[in-house]
Amino acid sequence: MENPITFISLGDINFIIYFFKMFFMGLCTYYTFFHVLNIKLLFNIKFIIVILSTFLIAFLDTILKSEYYFTSIVFFILSLSILYSFVNSHRIGYCILVTLFSFSLNYIMYFVSIIIGFLPNAILGLQNDIISLILIYIVQFILLFSLFKIRRFKNGFAFLHKNLGNEYFDILILNISAIVLFASILVSGNYSIVFLSNLYISFIILGTIMFITIQKSLTLYYKHNLLVKDLNDTKAELDEKNKEIEKLENDILETSKVNHSIAHKQRSLEYKLNELMLNTEIAGELDISNKIKDVSKQCFCSSALAMLPKTGIEIIDDMLSFLQQECSENNIDFDFQLNGNIYHMINTFIPKEDLEILLADHIKNSIIAINSSDNINRSILVRLGLIDNYYSLYVYDTGIEFEPHALSVLGKEPITTHSDTGGTGFGFMNTFDTLKKYNASLFINELNSPCSDNYTKSIVIRFDDRYEFKINSYRITEK
């Protein structure tokens, strides 16, 4: 070389020098490709294929370069992309972008290496182009090795690990790579030293801006990842809280159902206690006996109530007596029909405690339905025992019909439209639990609209080992 600057003009590089330049550039691109994706380099048959293929691609690129420089660059990048796609089984579009990024990064390193290699070239007065090229690529290898020793880039570029799914980074890489390639084409021609000096200064500025852009983009990427992580953590925490809330709601629901059943038993026992205290000598000795008598005179008169058939099971008879009194207080006629002996029923199909709650729930519902109606016919009929060859419980009333929405969610959630008159919605929740427990069936029969000479509806609980639920309504027929 007559002047070190002359080497910088790529147009003067002969065929052999350019071939080795592109061959080394291909090797550096391969090294960069693997490191940016954090893939471990293995010295196996694939590595040998890459070396031989890179050698062939560099040779073909050198042939194209003499007439079609831009075409040769495109050919070089596409060929390497296809090669890396074959070796690593990545999709070709992904490999093109990563290869383009790797090639552009190496071209920047190459020009930095030329500037760094200019000093020893000038000081030692080297005239051998091959030695100068080797010196440049030694510097480039050192720069690449040092780059990937930096902690932030030690495991590659994170935003390139996920197949470039972010369009923002796709555009960023394409723009930066295009600028680098355009600059490389500019400096490949024969220009004056002054023009080249200005171009190299501009290229240094451009390279600096590129690195700052990459740094800022990486910072935004990491912040975005942290934000996504926080959102995912918040979502997971919210899901966990929702599960806890759902569990608490279920616990509250179960507790409410139990309390609902206990309330029936409590009022039945209070009624029984009042009767006992009013009919024993001990009551006269208690301070509260007079108060109980006064309240009892206001609330009910035992002698006015008809005698109900006795089942022989004390808690069932007590509950029926209590519910009869409830009906009397609400001016409702209460009738109870016992079909045979129910001892077999409570010993085989349903325990007496659960039967007691069924009676309380559905007779109480009938009372509420009647109180919500303007019907002058205020009557409840309860049938219990062996009916139509099945042990069953029938509850007839003259109250209002079920609302369509209430029927659609019956047993699924506690619902009542009469909370102001004592409805809780837990009656049917308890009923469906009992049905499932004893494999019994429920039939809701809506007979007709409220009238003075017939019942409005009936609730039939049949212990038939079928676990069925059916609604038979005159309203469906009318439609």
Side-chain angles (χ1 to χ4, degrees), residues 284-343:
E285 299 176 4
L286 297 175
D287 293 337
I288 63 170
S289 61
N290 292 329
K291 293 182 180 180
I292 293 176
K293 288 179 182 179
D294 292 339
V295 172
S296 299
K297 288 177 182 178
Q298 296 174 13
C299 294
F300 65 90
C301 178
S302 298
S303 59
L305 299 178
M307 290 294 294
L308 299 177
K310 297 296 182 181
T311 64
I313 293 109
E314 185 177 5
I315 62 171
I316 301 298
D317 291 333
D318 289 344
M319 180 59 74
L320 287 169
S321 296
F322 163 68
L323 293 168
Q324 181 190 33
Q325 177 58 39
E326 285 276 304
C327 289
S328 177
E329 292 174 5
N330 288 276
N331 296 318
I332 298 172
D333 293 329
F334 181 81
D335 190 14
F336 172 61
Q337 296 177 2
L338 180 63
N339 288 53
N341 191 309
I342 66 167
Y343 279 100

